[in-house]
Amino acid sequence: MQGDVVRLHGLQKKPSLNGALALILLKHSEGRWVVRPYGVTSEPFAVRTANMQRGRELPESLRQGLFVAVALSVLLVAVAARAGPRSRLRALVPVASLLWFLVAVLGCYYLHAPLLASGVYVPAISEMGISSSARLLYRVAFGLCGFLLAVTLLQMHDLMSKHHSDISVQDSGLLWGLLASFGITLQGVCTLRLDFGMETVLHLSGAMVTMFGTFSHAERSNGWFKSLPDGSPLLRRGWRGFGLSLRKDHFEALGSGSSPLLAIFMVPLLLQGGKRLGLFAELNVVENCMGIMQWAVVAGIAAFFCSYAFDLMAV
């Protein structure tokens, strides 16, 4: 339990700390642990196990299954690369990236749920990786999500180059996309902590890099596809062109540098940083609203990148 995050409850001598998150520092005695409350000015103190609510544990069988899934994802990339640019196996890579995103968000929500503050139902995504059990899943799932996204973008650039040899990495937005995938991996490996330490700084930086990289990639990628002549084989019709239609018609906002989506995403990050600096306490109503908006923005980004599966399937 040492180093884990808990939520305090049922305290008689320190009732003001009921509902506060705390970090377990060390074992005090049998059935008692020394904890440091988060977000309040209080010295570490000993508390009984019965007064600590922990997050759910990841069963050992699922831990093993998690690493089997990692191996299968790496194998998928290797097989798709070996199959060559005309193989539809490549379309499975962005789908796998989306699946890892869903595993990260839904799995961490389940593990983190017992730690939710009263009245909070939709936390910011980063908050769901603070417990030790959820942290493992968060790191693995988002790490693989970023890796598979990078592979997807390289595959897409290869597809674009095959039909239009004059395209550059600037035209396709490849570099910005790789920056976004790096940000996803960085904020996944460096999870949010209760204090405003280096790992928290790296996590928040990774989240911001993800957003800026995504917006810039979407702007360049959508712009390049719009400039294609009508006879381009990349301008598919029917279901084969669904991905392109999705990006051009429904996610146009991602390509706008002044998009309000950036502000919507940044506000929860500022709230998270402010709480760790002790500027304010948990704001339940605000956190629910910001959580919903952040989930919606991130889901839109995930769908945007996954739409490349249709392009890769229609090689």
Side-chain angles (χ1 to χ4, degrees):
M1 293 179 66
Q2 184 173 340
D4 206 355
V5 175
V6 296
R7 193 170 289 278
L8 304 176
H9 65 91
L11 299 177
Q12 301 296 324
K13 295 183 179 180
K14 296 178 180 287
S16 62
L17 295 181
N18 284 324
L21 288 174
L23 179 67
I24 299 178
L25 300 179
L26 51 90
K27 189 170 184 178
H28 179 270
S29 58
E30 189 63 32
R32 294 175 67 85
W33 299 82
V34 176
V35 301
R36 183 177 69 235
Y38 152 67
V40 294
T41 55
S42 177
E43 295 296 321
F45 65 98
V47 63
R48 293 183 303 163
T49 305
N51 297 119
M52 301 186 302
Q53 176 65 56
R54 301 177 63 200
R56 293 189 177 99
E57 290 292 328
L58 189 64
E60 184 60 31
S61 59
L62 290 183
R63 285 175 180 260
Q64 296 175 0
L66 185 64
F67 291 107
V68 170
V70 170
L72 291 176
S73 297
V74 175
L75 179 62
L76 170 63
V77 172
V79 171
R82 186 177 179 82
R86 294 187 177 277
S87 173
R88 292 186 177 180
L89 279 174
R90 288 188 162 201
L92 295 179
V93 176
V95 174
S97 180
L98 177 63
L99 289 177
W100 276 113
F101 164 74
L102 294 175
V103 167
V105 174
L106 299 179
C108 288
Y109 185 89
Y110 172 77
L111 297 174
H112 178 74
L115 291 177
L116 288 174
S118 177
V120 174
Y121 306 102
V122 189
I125 294 175
S126 300
E127 297 284 354
M128 299 189 300
I130 60 173
S131 68
S132 58
S133 181
R135 189 177 302 131
L136 171 65
L137 180 60
Y138 194 100
R139 284 174 169 167
V140 172
F142 273 116
L144 261 294
C145 179
F147 167 68
L148 292 170
L149 174 58
V151 174
T152 296
L153 293 167
L154 291 170
Q155 291 179 159
M156 274 302 299
H157 183 75
D158 186 41
L159 176 65
M160 294 172 177
S161 301
K162 184 177 69 173
H163 295 289
H164 299 276
S165 58
D166 59 337
I167 187 175
S168 67
V169 293
Q170 289 80 17
D171 294 332
S172 66
L174 174 63
L175 296 181
W176 286 112
L178 292 177
L179 182 65
S181 63
F182 169 75
I184 292 172
T185 302
L186 178 62
Q187 67 84 37
V189 174
C190 299
T191 58
L192 199 66
R193 297 288 183 155
L194 288 187
D195 60 347
F196 201 79
M198 181 55 67
E199 188 168 356
T200 293
V201 171
L202 290 174
H203 174 86
L204 297 176
S205 299
M208 289 187 286
V209 166
T210 298
M211 291 301 293
F212 284 115
T214 298
F215 288 150
S216 299
H217 168 78
E219 181 178 13
R220 291 179 181 271
S221 177
N222 283 351
W224 184 79
F225 272 101
K226 281 184 176 181
S227 69
L228 292 178
D230 292 337
S232 172
L234 294 179
L235 300 179
R236 306 283 182 169
R237 304 296 181 187
W239 70 267
R240 296 174 183 270
F242 180 73
L244 178 58
S245 174
L246 198 66
R247 293 193 300 275
K248 290 175 63 178
D249 300 335
H250 301 292
F251 294 110
E252 191 67 28
L254 288 178
S256 172
S258 59
S259 173
L261 294 177
L262 180 60
I264 292 174
F265 184 84
M266 290 297 294
V267 171
L269 293 184
L270 295 176
L271 285 174
Q272 291 165 348
K275 285 193 299 183
R276 279 149 182 81
L277 289 172
L279 299 180
F280 44 78
E282 292 177 300
L283 306 171
N284 296 353
V285 175
V286 174
E287 290 193 29
N288 277 320
C289 293
M290 292 303 167
I292 291 172
M293 289 188 290
Q294 189 188 61
W295 281 52
V297 172
V298 173
I301 291 173
F304 176 89
F305 283 122
C306 187
S307 69
Y308 284 134
F310 291 94
D311 300 81
L312 294 168
M313 193 181 302
V315 292

